[in-house]
Amino acid sequence: MCKRPLPLSLLSLLSIPLFAAERPVDPTFLKTSLSKAAVAQDDLTAPGSEFRPLFTKGGIVRGVARFGEASLAPGSASPVVQYPREEQIYYVTAGSGEVVYAGKKHPIRADDFLYLAPTIAHGLVNTGDAPLKVLVMGYPIPASTPIRIPDALPIANASEVKKQVVGNHPPSTLYQLLIGDQSSTRDRIAAAHVVTSLFLMEFAPGGTNFPHHHDREEEVYVLLEGEGQMVAGGGASGVEGRHPAKAGDAYFYRLNATVGFYNRETAGVPKARILAIRSLYPFARR
């Protein structure tokens, strides 16, 4: 019995899964945690001074030069570093010590945040009795961007920054606006070239900042305290992309990825706190 050949249109449909399976798809986010990050060689590495990278440039990470945790034992110091076209932001998560900036020493403590301008030499010293832990965030500045250096080290503590509701986000999340770009009128420090916003979010029990996305910026979330569900790449509602998250977990979100967080709804659950940073995507959008 002779079999009739399949219509061309049907053959085309049958071939779609094969071609679709061969096409690589970039993820919309990356996730890791401080507990999983391994010590790696870095400019800040020295006896007693370690660096654990969380995210580095490559793959879907386009505009971040380095993002990780520096940890210094009591009495130790990091090397002094200097970058001609990279701005850095430090956030102290634990301990106390000093930052050396342009040859001068400045005391630092937990919840201090600092803007370290390009071309200025800087380093860390642990003068306390416990480990000094600092989140180090570095962003390359395009060659076409003029560099402006602040007259003094921009430094402040999160306790000095008011908590407020921002934009269309619900009142269950309070924001502290820490560092913005040089045109900012709302942030505690307005000094950045590539970084558009460094901020803290405090989530009440059952609170959320509503899943959303950014079409011009990459973003990193680090859960400093509490636990809940991180929203990552799962549509506008966030239902499809909720991931259990605990303190120390970190997420990188590429351009237009869905981003958000839901704190636990259990009665008496403590507030959750996230440090977030957004930076301009370094290429023209297609």
Side-chain angles (χ1 to χ4, degrees), residues 86-132:
E86 180 182 323
E87 61 184 1
Q88 293 199 336
I89 289 175
Y90 285 1
Y91 189 94
V92 183
T93 56
S96 60
E98 295 173 337
V99 62
V100 180
Y101 185 80
K104 297 181 180 179
K105 295 181 178 180
H106 304 263
I108 55 174
R109 59 190 173 97
D111 288 322
D112 274 354
F113 54 96
L114 309 75
Y115 177 81
L116 304 161
T119 76
I120 306 298
H122 57 275
L124 291 166
V125 181
N126 186 347
T127 59
D129 298 326
L132 172 63

Side-chain angles (χ1 to χ4, degrees), residues 32-261:
T32 185
S33 69
L34 291 170
S35 62
K36 294 179 181 178
V39 175
Q41 184 67 33
D42 185 81
D43 296 346
L44 295 176
T45 303
S49 175
E50 297 179 339
F51 184 74
R52 299 175 184 271
L54 294 171
F55 306 110
T56 55
K57 188 174 182 179
I60 67 169
V61 182
R62 300 298 183 88
V64 180
R66 72 196 75 229
F67 193 108
E69 181 188 62
S71 179
L72 280 71
S76 67
S78 76
V80 173
V81 295
Q82 186 177 15
Y83 305 102
R85 298 200 67 87
E86 180 182 323
E87 61 184 1
Q88 293 199 336
I89 289 175
Y90 285 1
Y91 189 94
V92 183
T93 56
S96 60
E98 295 173 337
V99 62
V100 180
Y101 185 80
K104 297 181 180 179
K105 295 181 178 180
H106 304 263
I108 55 174
R109 59 190 173 97
D111 288 322
D112 274 354
F113 54 96
L114 309 75
Y115 177 81
L116 304 161
T119 76
I120 306 298
H122 57 275
L124 291 166
V125 181
N126 186 347
T127 59
D129 298 326
L132 172 63
K133 295 183 180 295
V134 179
L135 288 176
V136 176
M137 299 160 265
Y139 293 83
I141 300 174
S144 58
T145 302
I147 291 179
R148 298 177 184 175
I149 307 298
D151 294 334
L153 172 66
I155 181 172
N157 190 272
S159 63
E160 305 166 5
V161 182
K162 69 176 181 179
K163 298 177 182 180
Q164 59 183 306
V165 177
V166 171
N168 296 320
H169 299 292
S172 61
T173 301
L174 296 179
Y175 288 73
Q176 291 173 279
L177 306 177
L178 309 181
I179 297 178
D181 62 28
Q182 295 176 2
S183 64
S184 174
T185 57
R186 67 176 193 170
D187 297 274
R188 178 65 175 80
I189 293 173
H193 297 75
V194 174
V195 171
T196 58
S197 187
L198 174 79
F199 55 99
L200 287 165
M201 294 179 286
E202 183 180 272
F203 297 83
T208 181
N209 57 342
F210 285 155
H212 57 282
H213 72 277
H214 302 282
D215 60 6
R216 296 178 61 245
E217 296 157 307
E218 297 176 317
E219 189 162 20
V220 174
Y221 275 16
V222 180
L223 183 55
L224 299 178
E225 299 175 28
E227 58 183 75
Q229 292 182 312
M230 199 73 75
V231 179
S237 69
V239 173
E240 309 94 318
R242 295 194 189 189
H243 308 268
K246 61 184 183 303
D249 286 353
Y251 280 67
F252 170 86
Y253 297 91
R254 78 173 190 183
L255 214 64
N256 280 316
T258 303
V259 50
F261 181 79

